[in-house]
Amino acid sequence: MPLSEPLLETRGLTKVFRRRFFGSGSKHLVAVDNLELTVYRGDVFGFLGPNGAGKSTTIRMALGLIHPTQGSVHIAGRDLADGTRAALAKVGAFVERPAFYPYLTGRKNLEIFAGLSGGVSVRELDEALDRVGLSKRADDKVAVYSHGMKQRLGIAACLLPRPELMILDEPTDGLDPHGIREVRELLLSLARDDGLTVFLSSHFLGEVENLCNRAAIMDHGQTILQGALDELEREHRRLRVETGRPAEAAEFLRGKLGLEPRLVDGQRPALYFALKGARAEDVNALLVQAGFAVRALTPEPAWLERIFLERTTSKESNVARKAEA
Amino acid sequence: MNESAANAASGRTAPEGLSVLGGVWAVLRFEWVKLLGRRITWVPFLVLAAVITLITIVFHYLEFKTTITFFRTASMNFDSKNDFVNGYYMTAHAMLPVFRMLIPIFVAVASGLMVAGEAEGGTLRACLIRPLPRSGLLLGKFAILCGYALALSVFAIALLLACGIACFGTGDLYTINVVFQNGEGGASMVPAAETADRFVLAALFATMGMAVLAALALLISSLANTAAMAYVLTLSIYFAVLTLRMMPFLDWLYPYLFVTHMMRWQQCFYEHVKVGEIYVSLVHLGAYLIAFLSAAMVLFKERDIQS
Ligand SMILES: Nc1ncnc2c1ncn2[C@@H]1O[C@H](COP(=O)(O)OP(=O)(O)OP(=O)(O)O)[C@@H](O)[C@H]1O
Ligand SMILES: [Mg+2]
């Protein structure tokens, strides 16, 4: 797929929070640090990062809720800080978690929020409710909704009026496996059938792997990885190969393909290496041709998770570790 | 993305966002639904009804002996309370505490809930990611708040008149000038035929005062993180200024305090309405209103929504 026009762009986006109280160490906290993100039209973009990485802060800036300390956000080529709110007319979004007026019905809530974008017809409202499977409960007060229903109502609110870009902060947060799957399928169908661009933050790496075509991993306010998932996969995903004479096979691969296999001894010694753009089937063919008996060749199952864990640090677990020491 | 989907997406372009006026209109269409849907909106009406019932009962049993003495010093000689206590008398006198204490509290609470309360509940951010200017949102809320203040004022005055006239009938309206802070001694008499105009005028004037308080409350509400913080701050400021207004040695300050002008509706029950003073107060109230509202809009626009 050729790269299309950028729909959401951040350039040098920075947010520094001033600490208000004494005694909490440094005076400033750089929540987002010179962030450069590009989401192209048609993308389903996964935004990953440990707790406190700055995902929600970035999304708040992208929606004009908080003002960047530096840098800019462009939506469909329009600067968010241009004084008008036009850039947001193309966006459906929620941050942290969708919020509603609990004493009003789901339908009334949707009507109110869509009204602030200029209003929608009753038919569009019904369609959105139907799409998230809330038609039957639309006339109940939101106060009696379950968490999953609120989350789905939040997505319905994003669809009204029809956006070009959806920005969702942890859309599957707190949902049961059915709910997660429904949301995932809904987002996929919106992207595939309706041509919506979706930008979502998530803690579920598997979800991002399944759903997204592009992703970024953020840590301490900076992106440590960004790109098309299949390219990232080719670059970073490791292959596990069990062959006869593993040490020789490692030498062979190093010489022939410039790979860097690591031999892990154990009950069943195996080679681990990143493919660096090579294809697994070619590696297999080469090994067999060279007379190595390939017993097993498995792509690493949770490659994204490994990268995530290797390259990011969890603030919370750091605290725990310090407390232990 | 396939071709037809791309066309579908670009074929229906989203609107260009709302102007300030469009935003005000969008807010007006729904803000009252939110207001009326909340139970707490109706509590003030119940409180007013209860207080007014109580006032009527008290007026029924009270003998007004000190009041008769007061009127006598102003050379108005009444033999019993029946000579001056009527529906108009009760309404005018009950308006004093109602507009000084009750309605300001109700307005402060409502405006606290409108912005800070929505920030607390998270719905403010859901509103602000919509393509309408923040100033439009604030102005729409202000308009609804003024409507609410007017509804409370009209309800209070109408109920007072209804109860008062039902129990004590009608007649000329006698007032002691000091009680109504007319800046003069003595007593006043408004003929029965004129009282209707006076009450309408007083209601509008008093509501104008409440609008200024609403603007101040909205300014504080748009900066506070919780509804409670917003209305506690607003009421603290209001009652602090009211306290200053009651300090006799600070009388040089009175003309500059907004509560002085908020209370000016009391002029409407003076024998000869001092039109000049009323204009001065209207100008002051207008200036305060514009100042509070513009400050609210500027500061709210700059504010980071973190909740
Ligand atoms: N209003 C604020 N004042 C001060 N610091 C803040 C504020 N909001 C966020 N932060 C800090 O900014 C950093 C980024 O927070 P943010 O909420 O963006 O993280 P996140 O990636 O969304 O985390 P999570 O996955 O837990 O939702 C955190 O260290 C947080 O403490
Ligand atoms: Mg977050």
Side-chain angles (χ1 to χ4, degrees), chain A residues 15 17 60 64-67 78 85-86 89 93 95 97 99-101 103 111 113 115-117 124 157 160 195, chain B residues 12 14-16 18 26 34 37-38 118 121-123 125-132 134 301-302 304-307:
Chain A
K15 182 69 190 182
F17 286 115
R60 276 173 194 274
L65 285 174
I66 64 180
H67 305 286
R78 280 190 102 128
R85 309 275 291 167
V95 204
R97 55 184 46 198
F100 299 99
Y101 305 101
Y103 50 88
E111 212 182 306
F113 289 123
L116 295 179
S117 296
E124 283 172 293
L160 295 169
Chain B
R12 276 196 53 184
E16 274 289 285
L18 302 177
K34 292 194 245 170
R38 270 198 300 258
E118 286 212 27
T123 44
R125 61 171 192 259
C127 292
L128 291 181
I129 60 174
R130 298 281 164 175
L132 81 166
R134 288 189 185 184
K301 192 162 179 233
E302 293 306 314
D304 282 349
I305 308 296
Q306 324 242 24
S307 58

Side-chain angles (χ1 to χ4, degrees), chain A residues 182-203:
Chain A
E182 276 168 32
V183 167
R184 188 193 304 152
E185 276 165 12
L186 175 64
L187 292 180
L188 266 181
S189 111
L190 286 170
R192 208 187 305 116
D193 309 332
D194 297 55
L196 284 190
T197 306
V198 181
F199 178 82
L200 63 108
S201 78
S202 178
H203 286 300

